[in-house]
Amino acid sequence: MNTALAHAALPTARAMRWAPAVLLAAVLVAATLLARSAGRPADVVLAIAAAGLAATVVSGLHDPAAAMLTAVPVSLMQRRVLRLGLLGLPALAVWFLLDSLTTARLSGPGPLLAAAACGVAVALWAPQRRAVLLGASTPVALFALHQLLPDGTVSDVVGWWLTEPWWVLAAATLLCVAGRRR
């Protein structure tokens, strides 16, 4: 790891907005516990959790100091990866906690990682002014479309992030690599 990047981790973590992520985690844990106590399957709760946590991770790409940091010896992509890692690791911890509280079919971090990768890919390829907003909206839009569209081919394709998350993760990662210089 780049030493400049290691030195940037603590100030970056301090500058990030943590309240939305903490509040979302609390709401998701409460919803999961309610579903568990009611004896209801928590598949939809975990799908909502994956979309919400992924959106929160992608929203971490918002860097108000980006213009000021262009002179530091850390590339824009390295700073993005740092911000994603700082929010992504706690999001994975929350995901594993939620997964351990349920007996849902969505076990494993695949849906969370796939939704986050889709959001990051959109953020990398979207116009700069709206990139983070569009990227953070992508996981929530994927969940909403999957719920709203009638059963059929389009609904199945939109739902691949839930049913085939590792393929979606691979495709989104390829798009992220292709857009790394943007």
Side-chain angles (χ1 to χ4, degrees):
M1 184 180 198
N2 185 334
T3 57
L5 191 60
H7 290 294
L10 186 59
T12 302
R14 286 183 184 153
M16 293 173 69
R17 294 180 49 202
W18 290 96
V22 171
L23 291 173
L24 176 66
V27 167
L28 291 172
V29 168
T32 303
L33 290 173
L34 284 172
R36 180 180 177 178
S37 68
R40 302 216 176 221
D43 290 347
V44 175
V45 174
L46 281 181
I48 291 169
L53 290 170
T56 303
V57 169
V58 176
S59 71
L61 288 175
H62 175 67
D63 187 4
M68 184 174 64
L69 293 174
T70 57
V72 298
V74 177
S75 72
L76 176 62
M77 187 52 70
Q78 288 176 323
R79 289 194 313 268
R80 286 175 176 166
V81 169
L82 174 64
R83 294 177 80 78
L84 290 171
L86 286 172
L87 273 170
L89 292 175
L92 276 172
V94 170
W95 175 264
F96 284 119
L97 172 67
L98 297 175
D99 193 31
S100 70
L101 293 174
T102 66
T103 58
R105 298 178 320 209
L106 293 179
S107 62
L112 170 62
L113 296 174
C118 288
V120 171
V122 168
L124 289 177
W125 286 95
Q128 189 66 27
R129 286 186 31 223
R130 306 247 188 253
V132 175
L133 177 64
L134 291 172
S137 301
T138 299
V140 177
L142 287 173
F143 171 78
L145 285 172
H146 183 63
Q147 295 297 312
L148 294 174
L149 290 172
D151 287 340
T153 306
V154 175
S155 177
D156 290 343
V157 169
V158 170
W160 280 350
W161 69 279
L162 285 170
T163 59
E164 301 292 335
W166 300 109
W167 289 106
V168 172
L169 176 62
T173 301
L174 288 174
L175 285 172
C176 289
V177 169
R180 72 184 179 278
R181 303 219 190 274
R182 294 185 49 86

